Amino acid sequence: MRVLLVGAGGVGTAVTRIAARRSFLTHMVVADYDLARAEAAVAALGEQGTRFSARRLDASDQDAVRTALVDERCDVLLNATDPRFVMPLFEAALAAGTHYMDMAMSLSAPHATAPYEECGVKLGDEQFAQAAAWEASDRMALVGMGVEPGLSDVFARYAAEELFDEIEEIGVRDGANLTVEGYDFAPSFSIWTTIEECLNPPVVYEKDRGWFTTAPFSEPEVFEFPEGIGPVECVNVEHEEVLLIPRWVDARRVTFKYGLGDDFIAKLKTLHELGLDATAKVAVPGPDGPVQVSPRDVVAACLPDPATLGDRMTGKTCAGTWVKGTKDGSAREVYLYHVVDNEWSMREYGSQAVVWQTALNPVIALELMATGAWKGSGVLGPEALPPRPFLDLLGAYDSPWGLREER
Amino acid sequence: MRVLLVGAGGVGTAVTRIAARRSFLTHMVVADYDLARAEAAVAALGEQGTRFSARRLDASDQDAVRTALVDERCDVLLNATDPRFVMPLFEAALAAGTHYMDMAMSLSAPHATAPYEECGVKLGDEQFAQAAAWEASDRMALVGMGVEPGLSDVFARYAAEELFDEIEEIGVRDGANLTVEGYDFAPSFSIWTTIEECLNPPVVYEKDRGWFTTAPFSEPEVFEFPEGIGPVECVNVEHEEVLLIPRWVDARRVTFKYGLGDDFIAKLKTLHELGLDATAKVAVPGPDGPVQVSPRDVVAACLPDPATLGDRMTGKTCAGTWVKGTKDGSAREVYLYHVVDNEWSMREYGSQAVVWQTALNPVIALELMATGAWKGSGVLGPEALPPRPFLDLLGAYDSPWGLREER
């Protein structure tokens, strides 16, 4: 299998380190807007890097991406950029006739008049609108294939297939006890994406109502995370799972709650009140007159790059799917989860826990595509494919999953 | 008297409106980096504007400022820009042989190793370092001549001359009950300056210890403001009065406390924790590659311009000086104050209250210089000059001051 990896940031770099240890890969082209970053990712692989090469590529330039896919004879494009580049990369892969995989879906837009009640453009709508073209080309666009969305969706499908007869609610729950030495505030994941997720109206699915939205930070609950992380306050957040799971898994309700904590929520609210979460550009003084910049990009530029914080980070991160329903006539409630200890991921891979956990899952999915265990055509979520082989490979990658029986 | 006014923002524009009603002025050149802004200020004066002209001027270009002062045969430069431009304007006036007046002094720099205990470079240090040159040129640099610093310093001198035999403490106290319709957060004064004042280590003066600093937002107290404003929580803030008053007025302690309120303090702390208060430039994506911008400029660009909010603002602002000491052997405590009602300043001048109150005082000072009531040479604070004629002119400008006997 030949792969074009677009984006050599934290997640992209971790993808190379995980993939380098597996034999399914014939070649991976590591492409980035900043060639030096792509070259650094390849160079860091050392002797393991013979199957990797670096290339400069502008992810917003659809023609250039298509050309790269054809030139490099790639089978699949793996998108490890931020969600702004989903559509040009998705369309470039379709045009080139390759498979496509990403870890976040095309962006939403709020409802014009009732943003906190009704959906406007939903996450992934732009991608699903092209499902017929992907089916016709007999290629697979596997969307939302990181850890959340991604592994969380695999858990949902697994629960439906093997653990439940009927599902009342599926709630993805994400929490951590990570702290970063020397920083008052240092998000462990892309602040651009975190703002997008947390300040957009959260989406909820109910079978008799369909998808709808609420005000940000709604329905707070304290969820007990496993392996020593403990209780964390979680709130509703806009996330792909809520849009993906109901398409392939029968459940009466689907939610996503993120364990943000009070302090983080307060900071996000302040950014919003000050207008600093905005992506629309504003004019500010520059060296040669006013320049146009996006306030959210400035927020990101002022914070440390989360991928570089691993050395000063302590703790564990947990991604998982809580499912409530019935099995053999009895009530059942389980939490399927995956925990990464930062100390372990730093020692084993030199990648911090959240970034490594995100990068692990698309590599497993690539391996399943390479072996033929996962195949299909059209625009598919991870829950469209058989969950067992995926969960088994987690163990083979030395990062097993867990199941906690809640009652 | 011929005046070069540098800066046609909110305060500069209000200066033109106040000065246009007074006869002491021969001519005022209104200069701004943005010529259209200077022209708009002059045009808005209508028939009252015959003594005013507009000119483009870069306040950071010392030679250009000196040339403008000479070309326009000005007697005095009035600086209505933000504090970053104090030094080039101050030095241009010295080079041109004119008087100089500003409303904020040269900037401080924190102590390298003990920023919250000891002073580093103090506000105004760079200006006072040139006192001998100003004395030698027989010209006056009147520094800190807005409302605070400015009128608050005049109050301190007045208290020392007429109300007290001995002064234990002088505490400048600033509070308001202004609200802005339609905004969660809309500072009524320049956010650039507000951040500078509030996040720098506050400075305190004690006679037996000299100047020293504390952590931001220290020594909170609830102060009762007059004329219906009521109680407001005030905290220590770095401000010029603490540096100016002890040079000319004998007091055992001098402080400045600002009525910020809990919500405002929380937002400022968040900006600081996120690094968004920084003035050092960061690289962010621009249309043609990375551009360098100052995060604090971006914060300002995302907020409404406070000078434009007058129409949606309601309430009053109060500047004043609380003094505690003895008179004729008895304890005495007074609050000398000046209140502006936004509804009044909008109706009378089309300027919002805080901006108008700041602009009023340098115009009075110019009038006192024009009539010869205030004269001198060197670098002087407002408390170096006779307070009575200044306070009397407040009444003549229809904006009288008040005295509240505290005990």
Side-chain angles (χ1 to χ4, degrees), chain A residues 62-321:
Chain A
Q62 195 178 314
D63 266 356
V65 177
R66 188 187 51 76
T67 302
L69 284 164
V70 172
D71 282 358
E72 305 274 7
R73 295 171 291 114
C74 290
D75 305 296
V76 56
L77 185 161
L78 173 56
N79 173 5
T81 66
D82 84 46
R84 283 176 284 190
F85 302 105
V86 162
M87 288 314 294
L89 293 172
F90 177 83
E91 290 181 346
L94 181 62
T98 70
H99 300 297
Y100 167 86
M101 194 185 303
D102 62 31
M103 293 166 254
M105 285 152 52
S106 60
L107 293 169
S108 64
H111 190 276
T113 56
Y116 302 133
E117 294 160 36
E118 295 175 42
C119 293
V121 177
K122 299 189 299 301
L123 287 171
D125 274 1
E126 283 187 84
Q127 292 178 290
F128 281 109
Q130 299 194 28
W134 281 89
E135 280 158 29
S137 76
D138 199 28
R139 291 290 176 278
M140 174 161 64
L142 179 52
V143 298
M145 190 59 251
V147 59
E148 282 175 344
L151 177 54
S152 49
D153 300 77
V154 172
F155 283 143
R157 176 66 183 257
Y158 173 74
E161 283 194 359
E162 304 200 16
L163 306 179
F164 290 85
D165 296 325
E166 210 166 283
I167 293 178
E168 188 182 319
E169 181 162 357
I170 297 178
V172 182
R173 298 291 182 267
D174 178 297
N177 64 354
L178 295 166
T179 57
V180 182
E181 190 192 325
Y183 285 93
D184 284 331
F185 181 71
S188 54
F189 201 66
S190 154
I191 188 71
W192 198 100
T193 306
T194 303
I195 289 174
E196 184 74 15
E197 288 178 348
C198 296
L199 294 177
N200 278 349
V203 59
V204 171
Y205 173 83
E206 290 180 3
K207 199 170 183 177
D208 56 0
R209 190 174 167 188
W211 287 293
F212 61 93
T213 58
T214 74
F217 312 115
S218 62
E219 297 182 16
E221 70 172 55
V222 174
F223 191 84
E224 182 79 27
F225 287 91
E227 299 199 14
I229 295 174
V232 180
E233 179 158 319
C234 297
V235 292
N236 275 328
V237 155
E238 180 191 51
H239 229 255
E240 285 88 344
E241 290 92 325
V242 179
L243 288 316
L244 288 173
I245 291 171
R247 293 175 195 261
W248 286 280
V249 175
D250 190 29
R252 284 209 287 281
R253 191 168 205 264
V254 182
T255 58
F256 180 98
K257 292 190 184 178
Y258 201 178
L260 292 171
D262 289 350
D263 181 60
F264 202 114
I265 290 173
K267 286 191 168 61
L268 290 170
K269 285 183 176 173
T270 296
L271 286 174
H272 181 61
E273 284 170 357
L274 299 179
L276 291 164
D277 59 321
T279 53
K281 296 192 171 180
V282 296
V284 293
D288 309 306
V291 293
Q292 298 281 330
V293 296
S294 147
R296 196 189 294 180
D297 285 337
V298 177
V299 173
C302 289
L303 290 170
D305 176 354
T308 66
L309 294 176
D311 287 332
R312 276 165 290 181
M313 200 180 270
T314 313
K316 296 174 178 175
T317 187
C318 178
T321 304

Side-chain angles (χ1 to χ4, degrees), chain B residues 9-18 21 40-41 44-45 48 305-313 340-357 359:
Chain B
V11 172
T13 298
V15 161
T16 65
R17 292 174 188 178
I18 298 165
R21 300 195 188 181
L45 297 172
Q48 288 187 315
D305 176 354
T308 66
L309 294 176
D311 287 332
R312 276 165 290 181
M313 201 180 269
V340 177
D341 184 333
N342 186 70
E343 191 266 325
W344 177 87
S345 67
M346 284 302 294
R347 188 181 65 233
E348 284 289 315
Y349 286 89
S351 296
Q352 61 101 312
V354 180
V355 160
W356 187 85
Q357 191 182 36

Side-chain angles (χ1 to χ4, degrees), chain B residues 71-94:
Chain B
D71 282 358
E72 305 274 6
R73 296 171 291 114
C74 290
D75 304 297
V76 55
L77 185 162
L78 173 56
N79 173 6
T81 66
D82 83 46
R84 283 176 284 190
F85 303 105
V86 161
M87 289 314 294
L89 293 172
F90 177 82
E91 289 181 346
L94 180 62

Side-chain angles (χ1 to χ4, degrees), chain B residues 92-103:
Chain B
L94 180 62
T98 70
H99 301 297
Y100 168 86
M101 194 184 302
D102 63 31
M103 292 166 254

